[in-house]
Every structure is written in C-alpha cells, then in structure tokens.
Amino acid sequence: MPTCQKCKQQWRWKQTIRKMFTLDTGMICPHCGKKQFLTTRSKKKSNLLVFIIPLIMLLGVLFSVPPLIILICIALSSFAVISVYPFFFELTNEEEALW
C-alpha cells in the first residue's frame, strides 16, 4: 500500500481505490492533505497490469474461444487488476516524467 512521503502514513486499500479513479495527476493524502504523485516505476508497473485485459481479448479471438467465456475472463481479470492495483502504488512528492 502507498505511503505518503510527507507524513509517512500508509493509505488504506479503500482510500487508494478512491484516489485511483481521479483524473488529476496528483492525489491528495487523506492524512495530511498534501499532494502526492505516482512514481515513474509505479506508472510503468500499472501500465503492464492494465495490458492484461486486451491480451485476454486477443487470445480469445486467436483461439476461437466463445464470446461468453471471453466476457467472463475480462470481467474477472478487470476485478483482479483493480483489486491488486493499489499494492503497486508508490508515491513521491514531485511529479516525475514517464520516460
């Protein structure tokens, strides 16, 4: 789980999930109110994690898997990705470039 770099408080899973769905690049710490950013390493990890869903769709099409099975696999993998996503969060005080 992410830890605020200002106040050193660890965020709870539920707080992290809420912050995950914001469009702003920075996230306000629920403990101290300071703005925190995802590290470049964390962004790269999360991008790889999200890539699992299109990969399942591609494999389903390549191996002629019935559409219902593909939809179930996509739903389960989406749930799994969202559930483990907060564990890949690492925070920093400044915004870093992706590359």
Side-chain angles (χ1 to χ4, degrees):
M1 298 310 266
T3 302
C4 177
Q5 297 300 304
K6 294 276 186 183
C7 65
K8 306 296 182 202
Q9 293 289 318
Q10 188 174 21
W11 294 12
R12 294 190 325 256
W13 183 86
K14 190 174 181 180
Q15 291 169 330
T16 308
I17 288 290
R18 280 193 202 138
K19 301 292 183 185
M20 185 172 83
F21 290 106
T22 60
L23 296 177
D24 191 12
T25 56
M27 295 172 278
I28 304 297
C29 174
H31 302 286
C32 67
K34 300 294 181 184
K35 199 169 206 176
Q36 296 289 294
F37 300 93
L38 286 176
T39 62
T40 303
R41 182 178 170 209
S42 180
K43 289 177 189 176
K44 289 179 183 179
K45 284 181 187 179
S46 64
N47 287 341
L48 287 175
L49 219 109
V50 173
F51 184 69
I52 291 172
I53 298 166
L55 182 65
I56 289 173
M57 293 185 329
L58 178 65
L59 291 175
V61 170
L62 289 176
F63 294 111
S64 301
V65 176
L68 182 61
I69 302 297
I70 294 173
L71 287 174
I72 291 170
C73 288
I74 289 171
L76 290 174
S77 64
S78 297
F79 178 74
V81 166
I82 290 172
S83 296
V84 300
Y85 193 72
F87 294 101
F88 289 95
F89 265 45
E90 295 172 3
L91 299 173
T92 184
N93 293 326
E94 298 92 27
E95 190 168 13
E96 300 173 349
L98 187 57
W99 305 109

